[in-house]
Amino acid sequence: MSNIPADLKYTAEHEWVRDNGDGTVTIGITDFAQGELGDIVYVDIEDEGSEFEKEEVFGSVEAVKTVSELFSPVSGELLEINEALEDDPELVNSDPYGEGWMVKFKMSKPEELNDLISDSQYSDVVA
């Protein structure tokens, strides 16, 4: 059974979103996603300052067996990339909701948070 924290929002594409309360969000992939991907060897993210619309690809995760695209759960500007993943991409495997976070976005349409799913709805997606 995957770890699905109740304080986060989720997408059907297996990303999690933490509302930081200041117009920004922290985004990563879920415990289920990292488990399905296997050992992550590389995380490739677009440049800081780039603008994305909801559901636009902002990067990819490369695992031993596959590459998976990362889709923006909200529209906004990519503010920060987790630089620790450059040297230690397996943080996504070991701590997907903590040290393995991927990016921070400044939201341009905060109302899009309402389109994301709850922990119980996400549990149904991965069941």
Side-chain angles (χ1 to χ4, degrees):
M1 183 68 192
S2 297
N3 177 17
I4 305 174
D7 63 331
L8 303 174
K9 295 284 198 175
Y10 299 88
T11 71
E13 291 78 32
H14 309 291
E15 283 138 359
W16 60 263
V17 178
R18 177 179 292 117
D19 184 353
N20 298 324
D22 60 358
T24 69
V25 290
T26 303
I27 301 166
I29 65 169
T30 65
D31 186 40
F32 176 85
Q34 70 79 22
E36 290 292 300
L37 287 168
D39 293 339
I40 293 171
V41 294
Y42 187 67
V43 178
D44 184 33
I45 307 286
E46 295 290 335
D47 295 330
E48 289 179 0
S50 298
E51 298 272 342
F52 297 92
E53 290 299 314
K54 181 180 174 183
E55 299 178 3
E56 193 174 349
V57 174
F58 71 86
S60 63
V61 176
E62 185 176 333
V64 174
K65 298 181 218 164
T66 188
V67 175
S68 183
E69 292 182 322
L70 299 167
F71 297 93
S72 179
V74 294
S75 300
E77 177 188 353
L78 198 163
L79 284 182
E80 184 181 347
I81 298 168
N82 184 352
E83 293 181 6
L85 299 181
E86 194 171 311
D87 295 327
D88 200 3
E90 59 273 5
L91 284 171
V92 176
N93 294 119
S94 62
D95 191 10
Y97 302 113
E99 295 297 314
W101 65 274
M102 294 188 171
V103 295
K104 292 186 181 174
F105 269 46
K106 178 172 179 49
M107 295 181 288
S108 58
K109 300 174 186 170
E111 65 275 9
E112 290 175 343
L113 285 174
N114 298 326
D115 299 334
L116 301 176
I117 59 178
S118 69
D119 58 312
S120 61
Q121 291 167 314
Y122 184 68
S123 292
D124 292 340
V125 170
V126 299

